[in-house]
C-alpha cells in the first residue's frame, strides 16, 4: 500500500514538484506550439526541438516511476546512487533546454516579425517577405512564432525548465547526502 505521507518529506516533495513542473512545461509546449530556436534550413531547429521534448518527456518518464517506487517501496530499497545519476542528468538537460528557450524567446520582446525582419534570419528565407505577421499564417503558428502569448509562454517555459533544473540539482544533493549516511 502506498504511503502518501512520504510526499510531505523532502524527497517526495522534490519528485512531485519535478513531475508537476515537467507536466506544465509539456502543456506549454503543446498548447502554444513552442520551440527552442535554431535554424530551420540547417536542421538545428529540429535538433533543438527534439532535445527539448525528449528532456521534458524523458525526465517525466523517469521521475514518475521513481516517485511511485518511493511511495510503494518497503524500507531499504531506496537507491541513492541511481537517484544521483538521474537527478544530475535532469539538472543538465533542464538547464540546457531552459537556456535554449529563454535565449530564443528573449529576442522577441514586443516584436512582431514580418518576412522583412533581419533579426530573425532563420525564418526569413523559409517564409519569404511578407507584410503580415508570421503568426497570422498556419505555418508560423506551427513554429510557435512571436505572438505575444507565444513569447510570454516561451519565456515561462524557459524559466520553468531552469527552476526544474535546480529542483533536480537539489534532489541530487539530497540523494548524495542520504547515500553517504546509508
Amino acid at each position: 500500500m502506498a504511503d502518501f505521507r512520504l510526499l510531505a518529506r523532502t524527497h517526495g516533495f522534490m519528485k512531485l514538484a519535478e513531475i508537476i513542473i515537467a507536466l506544465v512545461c509539456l502543456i506549454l509546449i503543446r498548447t502554444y506550439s513552442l520551440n527552442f530556436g535554431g535554424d530551420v534550413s540547417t536542421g538545428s531547429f529540429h535538433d533543438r526541438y527534439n532535445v527539448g521534448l525528449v528532456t521534458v518527456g524523458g525526465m517525466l518518464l523517469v521521475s514518475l516511476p521513481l516517485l511511485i517506487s518511493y511511495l510503494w517501496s518497503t524500507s531499504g530499497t531506496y537507491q541513492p546512487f541511481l537517484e544521483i545519476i538521474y537527478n544530475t542528468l535532469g539538472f543538465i538537460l533542464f538547464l540546457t533546454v531552459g537556456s535554449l528557450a529563454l535565449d530564443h524567446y528573449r529576442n522577441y520582446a514586443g516584436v512582431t516579425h514580418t518576412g522583412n525582419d533581419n533579426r530573425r534570419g532563420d525564418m526569413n528565407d523559409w517564409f519569404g517577405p511578407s507584410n503580415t505577421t508570421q503568426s497570422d499564417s498556419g505555418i508560423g503558428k506551427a513554429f510557435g512564432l512571436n505572438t505575444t502569448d507565444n513569447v510570454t509562454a516561451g519565456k515561462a517555459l524557459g524559466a520553468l525548465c531552469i527552476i526544474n533544473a535546480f529542483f533536480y540539482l537539489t534532489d541530487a544533493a539530497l540523494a548524495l547526502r542520504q547515500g553517504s549516511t546509508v
Side-chain angles (χ1 to χ4, degrees):
M1 188 63 151
D3 186 5
F4 290 102
R5 293 177 297 172
L6 294 174
L7 292 175
R9 293 188 181 167
T10 306
H11 187 72
F13 171 77
M14 296 298 285
K15 280 289 167 237
L16 188 60
E18 293 160 3
I19 291 167
I20 290 170
I21 292 173
L23 282 172
V24 170
C25 289
L26 196 58
I27 290 168
L28 283 173
I29 291 168
R30 297 288 297 152
T31 303
Y32 293 96
S33 300
L34 299 178
N35 63 67
F36 300 90
D39 187 352
V40 174
S41 63
T42 63
S44 67
F45 170 85
H46 299 291
D47 293 340
R48 286 177 171 213
Y49 184 75
N50 289 336
V51 167
L53 280 182
V54 166
T55 295
V56 175
M59 290 311 297
L60 186 61
L61 290 175
V62 166
S63 296
L64 191 58
L66 286 174
L67 177 64
I68 291 169
S69 71
Y70 180 64
L71 294 176
W72 268 275
S73 69
T74 58
S75 62
T77 60
Y78 178 67
Q79 298 289 324
F81 184 70
L82 185 64
E83 287 273 340
I84 293 167
I85 293 170
Y86 284 144
N87 291 329
T88 303
L89 184 63
F91 166 71
I92 293 167
L93 290 172
F94 269 106
L95 187 64
T96 301
V97 297
S99 299
L100 289 174
L102 284 177
D103 180 59
H104 177 64
Y105 286 103
R106 77 175 161 84
N107 293 327
Y108 294 123
V111 178
T112 56
H113 291 282
T114 63
N116 299 319
D117 189 347
N118 290 328
R119 286 185 55 204
R120 182 73 173 131
D122 57 346
M123 294 288 184
N124 287 338
D125 296 332
W126 183 264
F127 295 112
S130 170
N131 290 327
T132 62
T133 61
Q134 301 258 348
S135 59
D136 292 340
S137 68
I139 197 163
K141 184 173 181 344
F143 282 110
L145 294 181
N146 60 342
T147 64
T148 303
D149 289 343
N150 282 31
V151 172
T152 303
K155 289 178 180 178
L157 171 67
L160 284 173
C161 286
I162 290 175
I163 289 168
N164 212 13
F166 285 100
F167 270 106
Y168 277 102
L169 180 64
T170 305
D171 204 2
L174 291 172
L176 180 64
R177 190 180 88 201
Q178 185 170 354
S180 64
T181 61
V182 174

